Amino acid sequence: LQSQFSVLYNEAMQLKTQLEENRAQLSVSKNAHMRQIEQMESEELLAQKKLRTEVIQLEDMLAQVRKEYEMLRIEFEQNLAANEQTGPINKEMRNLITSLQTHNLQLKAEVARYKRKFREKEVETAKLRKECDELRVAEIKALQAK
């Protein structure tokens, strides 16, 4: 009976030690997980700020190019009215307008590309948020299960 008691006592002590180790490991994992979530949220905010800044810069560039285009168009119309000469001057102005239109189309394509990138980043951000939320829910469930 004494030996059975000793065996059971030793097993109980081993289980108690394992329980303490498991609790410590859970605490370490929980803290690491929280740090990872905080880091992910921080990175997400940085990415959003960077993307917003980039979009604002592109919008500013587009507005500036539109202003330049409008100024050049007005200048062209004034020159055309002031100089009713045809021939080489008109041909040169047509070439200028064509190149500006081409440049404007290129800028529009670039803006569309940046908008697409922005939408992709928004989708990625939503996925990351969803993943964070799922991780939080799983962590809460794990904690409630204990």
Side-chain angles (χ1 to χ4, degrees), residues 35-119:
R35 282 192 302 271
Q36 184 181 13
I37 288 174
E38 289 172 1
Q39 182 182 1
M40 289 171 65
E41 288 172 347
S42 174
E43 290 172 357
E44 176 185 355
L45 287 174
L46 288 174
Q48 286 178 353
K49 286 180 182 178
K50 183 180 177 184
L51 194 57
R52 280 189 203 114
T53 303
E54 194 174 328
V55 168
I56 289 170
Q57 288 174 349
L58 288 173
E59 288 173 348
D60 289 345
M61 285 174 50
L62 178 62
Q64 184 179 0
V65 167
R66 283 183 178 161
K67 286 179 186 177
E68 290 176 15
Y69 175 77
E70 188 62 25
M71 289 181 356
L72 287 172
R73 187 186 61 78
I74 290 170
E75 182 181 340
F76 169 73
E77 289 175 359
Q78 289 173 349
N79 287 338
L80 189 62
N83 302 319
E84 289 295 323
Q85 300 174 359
T86 56
I89 293 175
N90 286 341
K91 184 176 181 181
E92 184 177 326
M93 294 306 278
R94 280 190 211 108
N95 288 338
L96 177 63
I97 289 174
T98 303
S99 69
L100 287 173
Q101 287 174 336
T102 303
H103 184 64
N104 199 24
L105 287 174
Q106 290 170 348
L107 289 173
K108 285 180 182 180
E110 186 175 340
V111 167
R113 183 171 56 90
Y114 279 112
K115 284 182 181 180
R116 180 182 49 78
K117 281 185 176 181
F118 177 74
R119 285 191 295 273

